[in-house]
Amino acid sequence: MSRTKDSSPSKKEKRARDPKDPNLRCKAYKFRLCPTKKQVGKLEWMLRRCKELYNAALQERRDAYRMCGVSVSYTMQAEQLPAIKKLREEYQDLHSQVLQDVLRRLDKAFQAFFRRVMNGEEPGYPRYKNGDRYHSITYPQGGFELLHGNRLHLSKIGHIKIKLHRAMKGKVKTCTIKREGEQWYAIVTCEYLHDAALTFHPSEKEVGVDLGVKVFAMLSTGEAIENPRHLREEENTIAAAHRTIHRHKKGSHRRHRAKKALARVYRKVRNRRRDFQHKTSRKLVEQYQVIVFEDLSIKNLTATPKPKQDEETGKYLPNGAAAKAGLNKSILDAGWGGFVRLCASKAEEAGGTVVKVAPYFTTQVCSSCGVVVQKDLSVRWHSCPDCGAELDRDHNAARNILHRYHQNKQIGAGSVPQKPVSLRGEEPIL
Ligand SMILES: [Zn+2]
């Protein structure tokens, strides 16, 4: 992998010349690390150095642009690294690729910023990392090695105890050391070739899934997957932990301790949610060959409930828009996207597929006869005046989602989001 600085082709050229195998997959494994106190000190020290470098590089880009209108690139900054190491000797204690990765992260932040500017959005300028808001370092190619099953060797640090609780598949590519509260993790990414021809799914069953707020998921079979009960409890614990922090003076020992406690709560919440999602997606993938979801990226753009007016007074009544737009919703949204991704990756390995269909009218249309039955968010039951179908609102939606997949298959649209081909009755306002 070593290449000389000037004669080597740039990454872009390289990628264009030998395109990646379309069957190449990347998988990340997260392992718990058990560093000694001394090693924790060293890791913390490294994180602080990386943060400093990040901020300095950001400052440089900012100043260069403000004062001379020059935009500084990643390469320009990476070329300065040897000089920096000479000037600030402590940086010799960091692996050079780790430092390059810091600059690459900054570059990514800027790329994302420019992309949003180009798209006419209102992006925030890349921010300085203050306090201890720098949580991970990445060894992008080398400088790390897994030894004897329970040791991770890191360049400039030494052997750290690691719990390799599962076997990895493929070729190890990168290693990221991450701090989460008081715990440390190694995230190892591996590349492997996925051979679709070799994986079969034992079943031919298909299912439509409506992800919701009331229940976590409703299947087109009528089976409901409930939200885990602990979610609500956890929200209360988080709120309480936040209040504790704000009771204590800034910079005080107690506030610091309260912050640590909050981080613990968040970790617990994250772990429980992830656990729930992994188990649920695994169950779905084992049972069904094709799992159909709504395309959430479109759904969030379209679905705003209609304003509801009181007929006598003309005042506006609650229509569920606040609930839809609230914090809970956004948390759930994030959860949904992650859940769909989990299903997709598990399905692929099991020989199944995840399909996304257009979300239009899935709640409004009757899944038995196709007539539009308008209802706002508060109406939880679908009863069709035309064919007399009676079923739960979400169950109706899940059936429509599966229908849409079949429709798309007929017209050969695959999983490309399509507006419904035909609709009987008036067009509902979404
Ligand atoms: Zn009907």
Side-chain angles (χ1 to χ4, degrees), residues 248-357:
H248 298 305
K249 240 190 269 167
K250 269 193 179 172
S252 71
H253 175 63
R254 287 183 182 187
R255 190 167 166 124
H256 181 68
R257 208 165 52 191
K259 270 189 181 169
K260 273 189 171 173
L262 178 67
R264 268 197 300 275
V265 176
Y266 268 123
R267 187 178 62 233
K268 207 168 152 188
V269 170
R270 262 201 314 273
N271 287 348
R272 290 174 99 172
R273 274 204 194 126
R274 196 183 302 126
D275 179 61
F276 169 72
Q277 294 197 345
H278 268 294
K279 283 174 180 161
T280 314
S281 55
R282 171 60 64 202
K283 256 188 236 161
L284 278 180
V285 164
E286 274 173 4
Q287 257 183 303
Y288 300 99
Q289 190 198 16
V290 180
I291 306 167
V292 191
F293 291 103
E294 288 178 305
D295 192 332
L296 294 165
S297 56
I298 302 178
K299 182 169 179 140
N300 291 346
L301 293 178
T302 54
T304 315
K306 208 168 71 166
K308 209 158 87 177
Q309 247 173 329
D310 192 307
E311 277 173 25
E312 282 166 22
T313 59
K315 273 186 186 166
Y316 285 98
L317 298 171
N319 64 348
K324 264 199 104 140
L327 178 68
N328 276 343
K329 175 71 181 353
S330 60
I331 291 172
L332 282 165
D333 274 355
W336 289 338
F339 180 71
V340 174
R341 276 194 298 279
L342 277 186
C343 286
S345 69
K346 284 187 171 53
E348 190 186 65
E349 280 184 34
T353 19
V354 161
V355 180
K356 290 183 197 168
V357 296

Side-chain angles (χ1 to χ4, degrees), residues 366 368-371 382 384 386-389:
C366 172
S368 295
C369 68
V371 131
H382 169 86
C384 178
D386 250 44
C387 70

